[in-house]
Amino acid sequence: MKHQNPSINILRDKQLYIFDMDGTIYLGSIVFDFAIRFIENLRRAGKRVMFFTNNASRSTNVYLEKLTRLGFSPTAEEIMSSADVTVAYLKTYHKDQTVYLVGTKQLESQFCAAGIRLATGKEDIVDVVVSSFDTELTYEKLNDGCRLIRGGATYLCTHPDFNCPTDTGFMPDSGAIAALITASTGVTPRYLGKPYPEVVEMIERVTGIPRENTCIFGDRLYTDIALGAKNGVTSVLVLTGEGTLSEAEALSDEEKPTFIFPSLREVNDVLFDE
């Protein structure tokens, strides 16, 4: 059965509007101009906005600069990534433990700034191995991570995305790297980031807005939309990135997005009568 959107008043009444980035408000270096207009309209209507990406390969400052350059006028407080969720998780459940990171220099700097005790990878034993979307990946880093996991380290992964969309196609993401590590070690990581509950819990904690008053816009069914379906958050699938209409319609009722729109342009037009 074809998807039918419920009353738009469900969206109109929300207080916090969370936006995935790549594939939702821009694609690589190409900004969706209607996304800027929609977010400006939300702010004028007194709504709060948050940009959340699973991509932990870059720092908050890099996203702040990019979103500013593209015209979204963000504040640092409006930007969150799976890296923030992972740091919070480590500080809560693995406080003062040694962590070996398979990730970029930017992610390493974020961990260090948060007081995470990073290992070099040459140790015989560490407490935790964290893998992520590592665009600086080397065989040495993979080998060290696998060896330490085999030695008993807890294995965490910042986010489960298999591919990262770009304006020239897809590139292997965090989930693909984790799959390689799992194939070698036989150990499946505890994933953080979307669609896992730690994301919603952290957003509630930081914003003070309960999930019932929140909605998320995204293009990925197994991260953005699943975050809403699994955690009581209204979800909106936009067909400007990875997820397709046929894939969404094939999901069970419990997994389906609350709303489906071709893009944020149509959401804006319906909410603001443009």
Side-chain angles (χ1 to χ4, degrees):
M1 185 174 72
K2 290 192 176 299
H3 181 86
Q4 291 188 342
N5 286 335
S7 169
I8 198 65
N9 288 330
I10 293 173
L11 277 183
R12 190 173 282 119
D13 292 341
K14 300 301 179 185
Q15 295 176 334
L16 175 64
Y17 294 70
I18 305 168
F19 292 89
D20 173 57
M21 296 190 203
D22 251 325
T24 301
I25 61 173
Y26 59 70
L27 188 61
S29 59
I30 302 170
V31 61
F32 301 143
D33 59 348
F34 47 81
I36 294 174
R37 187 168 75 249
F38 180 41
I39 289 169
E40 287 175 345
N41 283 338
L42 288 172
R43 288 185 172 128
R44 279 194 289 267
K47 306 296 187 180
R48 290 183 64 177
V49 169
M50 174 173 283
F51 303 95
F52 190 104
T53 179
N54 263 1
N55 188 339
S57 68
R58 297 173 181 172
S59 69
T60 297
N61 285 337
V62 169
Y63 287 118
L64 180 63
E65 184 279 328
K66 179 172 184 176
L67 289 168
T68 300
R69 174 168 44 84
L70 294 180
F72 289 98
S73 304
T75 64
E77 292 72 26
E78 291 177 329
I79 301 171
M80 190 181 291
S81 77
S82 65
D84 299 304
V85 177
T86 303
V87 165
Y89 186 88
L90 287 169
K91 294 181 78 170
T92 300
Y93 298 103
H94 299 278
K95 186 176 176 61
D96 297 327
Q97 293 186 354
T98 53
V99 176
Y100 179 62
L101 174 64
V102 180
T104 61
K105 288 292 184 184
Q106 288 189 36
L107 183 56
E108 181 180 316
S109 295
Q110 184 170 347
F111 275 37
C112 288
I116 305 298
R117 293 176 55 199
L118 288 183
T120 65
K122 302 311 172 191
E123 298 84 356
D124 292 330
I125 296 174
V126 300
D127 298 304
V128 183
V129 170
V130 176
S131 71
S132 187
F133 179 25
D134 189 358
T135 55
E136 301 153 9
L137 186 65
T138 65
Y139 190 84
E140 182 180 19
K141 289 163 78 172
L142 275 174
N143 187 40
D144 286 340
C146 289
R147 175 177 55 80
L148 292 167
I149 291 168
R150 291 191 203 99
T154 299
Y155 181 25
L156 305 177
C157 180
T158 58
H159 59 290
D161 304 47
F162 288 113
N163 291 300
C164 179
T166 73
D167 47 7
T168 57
F170 292 108
M171 60 189 297
D173 204 325
S174 173
I177 294 170
L180 189 157
I181 294 173
T182 295
S184 177
T185 64
V187 178
T188 301
R190 179 184 182 113
Y191 289 100
L192 300 164
K194 297 177 289 186
Y196 298 99
E198 290 83 4
V199 173
V200 176
E201 291 164 6
M202 186 169 185
I203 290 172
E204 286 181 316
R205 192 164 62 246
V206 168
T207 66
I209 298 175
R211 63 191 69 193
E212 295 81 9
N213 294 332
T214 296
C215 57
I216 182 167
F217 296 81
D219 68 298
R220 247 178 220 181
L221 294 167
Y222 67 93
T223 55
D224 306 318
I225 303 310
L227 180 76
K230 294 181 178 186
N231 298 285
V233 176
T234 295
S235 63
V236 184
L237 174 68
V238 289
L239 304 175
T240 46
E242 183 178 309
T244 67
L245 180 60
S246 60
E247 288 170 341
E249 290 176 339
L251 295 173
S252 69
D253 290 343
E254 293 76 20
E255 297 171 313
K256 280 185 170 67
T258 316
F259 293 86
I260 301 176
F261 288 96
S263 73
L264 293 178
R265 182 193 303 275
E266 288 76 18
V267 188
N268 178 76
D269 291 348
V270 172
L271 278 181
F272 296 104
D273 298 321
E274 293 190 355

